[in-house]
Amino acid sequence: KAGVTQTPRYLIKTRGQQVTLSCSPISGHRSVSWYQQTPGQGLQFLFEYFSETQRNKGNFPGRFSGRQFSNSRSEMNVSTLELGDSALYLCASSPGEVETQYFGPGTRLLVL
Amino acid sequence: AQSVAQPEDQVNVAEGNPLTVKCTYSVSGNPYLFWYVQYPNRGLQFLLKYITGDNLVKGSYGFEAEFNKSQTSFHLKKPSALVSDSALYFCAVRDRTAGFQKLVFGTGTRLLVSP
């Protein structure tokens, strides 16, 4: 099976802009989670979607949002970008609730 | 709150020697524990997990981990290190108080295997 894919792999934006990141899970996986990785804060949970419903959300401002489509593909959006949003954004998919999460290669976002 | 701690920022080991990367956890209830590895400019690769059962868990690439409930530890081990094992290793616990798929990660341990 193909692994988790994320697009784009690299992105450069300026402050105030918005950005949309995409994640395609492993075929058959219905759960998609998003994480932010930064040198200062490490890996932090953003949110998780299952069957198009957001089931859990981390401690991030409302500028961070996401959605999941009927084919389990997911997008996350960050509006009004700040310098501190520069990070590696990782998507992970899982077949269900208690299964292992498998991660994609990430999207590296740089905000100037 | 559920948490894991990785007390060592870096572990250095010579190729061919055994390696240990330490992880301790703090959870309410039974822990679901994971180890992931990250190579430069890559995502996280799953190595192994402990849900229940045997305390010694075997995973990918010759890695194993020992679950110790009395010491609340889940140390990652490999009998003979390879230079290619050099990477960043993360211990994680499923945050069951938050439900579902939220993983709480440690700060990571950089493993450097010298030839």
Side-chain angles (χ1 to χ4, degrees):
Chain A
K1 283 185 178 179
V4 178
T5 58
Q6 293 186 244
T7 56
R9 292 293 310 278
Y10 303 93
L11 207 49
I12 300 175
K13 293 286 187 179
T14 56
R15 279 183 299 173
Q17 288 187 310
Q18 75 166 14
V19 66
T20 299
L21 312 181
S22 181
C23 171
S24 292
I26 293 171
S27 178
H29 286 194
R30 297 169 64 189
S31 170
V32 174
S33 300
W34 289 88
Y35 294 83
Q36 181 196 63
Q37 184 178 21
T38 61
Q41 299 299 317
L43 281 154
Q44 293 188 292
F45 174 80
L46 279 158
F47 28 65
E48 188 245 349
Y49 288 87
F50 185 87
S51 293
E52 303 179 65
T53 300
Q54 185 183 89
R55 299 198 297 187
N56 203 0
K57 191 177 190 322
N59 188 25
F60 279 82
R63 300 184 297 106
F64 291 81
S65 63
R67 59 178 174 169
Q68 186 181 34
F69 303 94
S70 58
N71 62 358
S72 293
R73 189 177 70 86
S74 177
E75 290 181 347
M76 66 163 284
N77 184 76
V78 187
S79 62
T80 318
L81 284 166
E82 300 178 358
L83 296 179
D85 297 333
S86 295
L88 180 66
Y89 290 89
L90 294 164
C91 167
S93 78
S94 168
E97 291 191 15
V98 295
E99 312 300 329
T100 301
Q101 293 183 39
Y102 295 93
F103 285 79
T107 294
R108 186 164 296 281
L109 172 65
L110 177 61
V111 182
L112 302 176
Chain B
Q2 321 273 332
S3 65
V4 291
Q6 295 181 244
E8 301 157 316
D9 290 336
Q10 182 164 314
V11 170
N12 298 305
V13 64
E15 187 174 34
N17 284 357
L19 69 87
T20 298
V21 182
K22 295 179 180 177
C23 173
T24 58
Y25 65 89
S26 175
V27 303
S28 54
N30 295 321
Y32 286 13
L33 295 160
F34 302 80
W35 275 102
Y36 286 86
V37 59
Q38 186 176 36
Y39 295 96
N41 300 315
R42 303 280 294 276
L44 301 177
Q45 292 181 30
F46 169 72
L47 283 177
L48 50 81
K49 67 181 177 184
Y50 173 82
I51 303 298
T52 187
D54 290 341
N55 290 340
L56 186 62
V57 179
K58 293 191 181 296
S60 305
Y61 313 118
F63 285 93
E64 58 189 26
E66 185 172 8
F67 173 72
N68 188 316
K69 189 172 184 178
S70 63
Q71 297 185 5
T72 62
S73 66
F74 189 57
H75 300 333
L76 181 69
K77 300 182 180 185
K78 188 175 183 182
S80 179
L82 300 172
V83 172
S84 57
D85 292 330
S86 298
L88 188 57
Y89 290 80
F90 289 95
C91 180
V93 64
R94 173 167 287 129
D95 186 345
R96 299 172 70 191
T97 62
F100 309 119
Q101 289 288 11
K102 179 181 178 181
L103 288 176
V104 176
F105 286 88
T107 51
T109 298
R110 189 166 301 280
L111 174 66
L112 183 60
V113 182
S114 54

